[in-house]
Amino acid sequence: MARNWPPRTAGNCARRWPSAMSTTTARSSSTPTNRSATRSRTCSLSSPRPARRWAWSRHSPPPAGCSRNASGAARGMGRSSGGKLTHSRVLQAVKNPVYAGAYAYGRSYDARGVRPDGTVAATWVKRARAEWTVLIQDHHPGYITWQQFVDIETKLAANHTKAGFRPPREGPALCQGIIFCGICGGRMGTRYGDGGRVHYLCQARDANRTTTCRTVAAVTVDDAVAALLLDAVTPQQLKLAVKAADELTERYTRSHRAAELAVERARYEADRAERAFSNVEPENRLVARALEGRWEAKLVALADAEAALATARAARPPLPERDALLALAADLPRLWQHPDTQARDRKRLLRTLIADVTLLPETQRDEVRIGVRWHTGATDEITAGRIGPGRTPAAALDLIRRHGATHTSDQLAVMLNAAGLRTGRGHRWTKGSVARVRDAYTIHAPRTVAIQDGEVSVKQAAAELGIPADAVYNWLTHGQVPARRAPSGRWCIPWDPDTQAIYRRKVADSFRLKPVPPSPAASQPP
């Protein structure tokens, strides 16, 4: 005789296994009062390491049950044990559904096999979430919600580099992880050199790498892609994008309505089957069995319809407000160039719109063809000039010429980098690179030319007087003639008529100095 069993709920489970449920309830009731702060901070961080550092700064204890107990109980459900909050314990906490307020059983199983030598090998295999034996959401109060648990799981999976993912890193290379070679088709790596030099190149261990694969300076590609991104995110372009998003929203709404109607129909069919099963006489066992099977089928159909509706709703993320988008377009260039904006933030912003970048085969050696694929499926091709050797930009050369006589090479390097200028190879300016430009274009340093107008150096004054420079240095050391000393330590002599008379009088009073008439070329400042 068929029996009308009540639905299997958490309350029935508590009546059947009161000891297990009471233990879980007692443990969840001891949740710290700062659960909300821990939840918000954990979800806002991009990886477990910042969460661990934040917890150390707050002196927060590690979540209970992060490790196995002495009796070998299931992970996360054993005896509470305290200890230092490590990276592995943070991972255990954010990956365990217990801390999301869910009860799970059957997340993994022990697979055994026989080796060729006859020994037994045991492997711990994890199951997919759809294959878990039991999963009860909102079972007890948790540190985070179930949706936050799923988001953290997705974020950790996206940070898994061994699985082929390339999350944004701290380096300045803007296209790191999303740039590909158009010749071999492989992913291009990033190489950092001295002086902040960054290059994109094909991986040496890639079997598909060819001799025609190139290495290109990262600044060449990054500047072109960033300019393309900023040109695309304008108020005019965003208005068109918002209009297209509205049409897409209407299309999704129609598809959601169809899924909602399917759920309503499936729920009606399931309720009807349940009423039919409830009204059958207990003596009619064959009829009750048939109605029970029909009810189970309707419940399965209802679950499938609800899953389809959830998938349809999750397929379209919520769009931001129209005014917020237009304000972002106006502030994006300033935000992009702000010195406090980190390289990782620029990479994340770039990846929200651009799917990948490809270096196309080149037709000219002085140019680089770059293919950009947007997340919408549209593609753009841009061309950038390849940075060649010895081609100092005219703006940088002009700045060095104007300030070369009054500033050292270190100071000029700071000025050039602050102005956003680069060397001929696209690198940041250093003391050595400024010195090479001085040598190539005969731009004298402060120790070889006058710092201010109307002043001469010791060598120039000595050449004007026709005497050795050592004599002038001796007078300056003993304070016998007027001069000033620059911060760099160089003597600067104001060469006015009164000062010239003092120096010529010193020469005339000396019986050792034999002045030699200066040549016209020697008296000219360099």
Side-chain angles (χ1 to χ4, degrees):
M1 181 177 63
R3 299 183 60 183
N4 190 6
W5 291 96
R8 185 172 299 177
T9 61
N12 296 336
C13 296
R15 287 191 293 271
R16 291 189 181 185
W17 300 282
S19 59
M21 300 302 292
S22 61
T23 304
T24 306
T25 305
R27 182 172 53 254
S28 62
S29 63
S30 62
T31 305
T33 57
N34 59 350
R35 185 188 297 112
S36 60
T38 305
R39 179 194 305 119
S40 59
R41 189 63 180 176
T42 303
C43 297
S44 63
L45 298 174
S46 58
S47 63
R49 296 186 186 277
R52 180 191 61 184
R53 291 194 293 266
W54 175 81
W56 281 350
S57 64
R58 295 288 299 271
H59 303 286
S60 300
C66 287
S67 59
R68 291 176 178 267
N69 56 13
S71 60
R75 183 177 298 173
M77 299 298 292
R79 184 179 56 194
S80 299
S81 58
K84 188 176 181 180
L85 189 63
T86 61
H87 180 262
S88 60
R89 287 188 173 180
V90 174
L91 280 178
Q92 291 177 7
V94 298
K95 289 184 177 180
N96 198 327
V98 170
Y99 299 100
Y103 173 80
Y105 177 77
R107 297 165 53 200
S108 58
Y109 65 94
D110 191 7
R112 297 179 180 272
V114 181
R115 298 192 181 96
D117 57 356
T119 59
V120 178
T123 305
W124 201 259
V125 181
K126 294 183 178 180
R127 290 191 177 100
R129 186 180 298 121
E131 300 177 357
W132 290 359
T133 307
V134 178
L135 176 59
I136 305 175
Q137 300 180 15
D138 299 329
H139 176 266
H140 56 272
Y143 280 89
I144 57 178
T145 63
W146 179 256
Q147 184 59 41
Q148 291 171 343
F149 171 77
V150 175
D151 295 341
I152 292 175
E153 189 178 49
T154 304
K155 186 179 297 184
L156 291 177
N159 292 341
H160 194 194
T161 56
K162 291 185 178 180
F165 297 98
R166 294 297 182 269
R169 307 303 290 265
E170 298 82 0
L174 185 63
C175 299
Q176 163 259 325
I178 61 173
I179 185 170
F180 294 84
C181 179
I183 298 178
C184 66
R187 191 189 300 272
M188 301 187 71
T190 307
R191 181 177 65 188
Y192 293 89
D194 298 335
R197 304 174 182 177
V198 188
H199 292 85
Y200 296 126
L201 72 164
C202 291
Q203 300 291 341
R205 59 180 179 274
D206 192 350
N208 298 325
R209 184 180 183 184
T210 63
T211 56
T212 57
C213 293
R214 288 87 37 85
T215 298
V216 61
V219 65
T220 302
V221 181
D222 294 347
D223 291 347
V225 175
L228 179 64
L229 175 67
L230 296 179
D231 292 341
V233 187
T234 58
Q236 294 78 12
Q237 296 290 341
L238 278 183
K239 288 181 180 178
L240 297 176
V242 170
K243 183 178 179 180
D246 293 339
E247 297 177 358
L248 188 62
T249 302
E250 295 179 0
R251 188 181 307 173
Y252 273 107
T253 302
R254 291 193 295 268
S255 63
H256 290 175
R257 181 56 182 168
E260 291 173 357
L261 292 176
V263 171
E264 292 178 3
R265 181 176 181 83
R267 184 176 292 110
Y268 170 76
E269 295 291 343
D271 294 342
R272 185 179 179 184
E274 182 182 4
R275 289 195 302 269
F277 176 74
S278 300
N279 295 330
V280 70
E281 293 295 337
E283 293 80 6
N284 300 330
R285 292 180 296 176
L286 296 179
V287 178
R289 185 176 303 172
L291 293 176
E292 184 181 7
R294 184 181 303 176
W295 184 23
E296 292 290 343
K298 297 300 181 181
L299 290 177
V300 172
L302 176 59
D304 295 340
E306 291 177 346
L309 177 60
T311 303
R313 288 176 176 174
R316 183 183 64 87
L319 295 176
E321 296 294 335
R322 183 189 302 266
D323 297 338
L325 282 176
L326 297 179
L328 176 62
D331 297 339
L332 182 59
R334 182 174 57 86
L335 179 64
W336 185 273
Q337 302 294 343
H338 199 276
D340 293 338
T341 303
Q342 298 182 0
R344 178 181 290 181
D345 298 331
R346 294 190 181 96
K347 295 178 185 179
R348 290 172 178 168
L349 182 59
L350 179 74
R351 296 186 182 195
T352 57
L353 299 177
I354 295 179
D356 55 61
V357 178
T358 304
L359 291 185
L360 303 176
E362 59 186 10
T363 57
Q364 298 182 6
R365 295 184 59 86
D366 295 339
E367 294 181 350
V368 179
R369 297 172 56 228
I370 306 170
V372 179
R373 185 171 64 90
W374 304 82
H375 282 295
T376 58
T379 58
D380 285 323
E381 180 178 338
I382 52 180
T383 303
R386 183 187 287 270
I387 300 175
R391 300 173 185 172
T392 302
L397 183 59
D398 180 67
L399 190 147
I400 296 176
R401 288 185 186 275
R402 285 189 287 108
H403 301 284
T406 58
H407 293 74
T408 63
S409 297
D410 286 331
Q411 295 172 344
L412 288 176
V414 174
M415 295 173 60
L416 290 167
N417 293 327
L421 301 176
R422 294 293 183 265
T423 65
R425 292 181 175 270
H427 306 147
R428 293 179 60 85
W429 286 94
T430 60
K431 178 181 177 181
S433 58
V434 175
R436 287 190 290 270
V437 174
R438 288 183 184 274
D439 294 339
Y441 294 94
T442 318
I443 302 175
H444 298 281
R447 280 190 168 276
T448 57
V449 296
I451 291 181
Q452 298 178 359
D453 295 337
E455 294 181 341
V456 295
S457 64
V458 174
K459 292 183 178 180
Q460 292 173 350
E464 182 72 19
L465 299 174
I467 61 175
D470 293 341
V472 180
Y473 277 116
N474 183 52
W475 297 341
L476 294 173
T477 304
H478 293 83
Q480 300 175 2
V481 290
R484 72 175 183 87
R485 197 155 195 172
S488 60
R490 169 182 168 244
W491 289 102
C492 302
I493 304 174
W495 207 239
D496 51 54
D498 296 337
T499 306
Q500 293 183 28
I502 296 175
Y503 277 80
R504 295 186 188 280
R505 191 180 308 113
K506 289 290 296 183
V507 174
D509 294 343
S510 177
F511 65 92
R512 294 182 179 179
L513 296 177
K514 305 298 180 182
V516 178
S519 61
S523 60
Q524 296 288 338

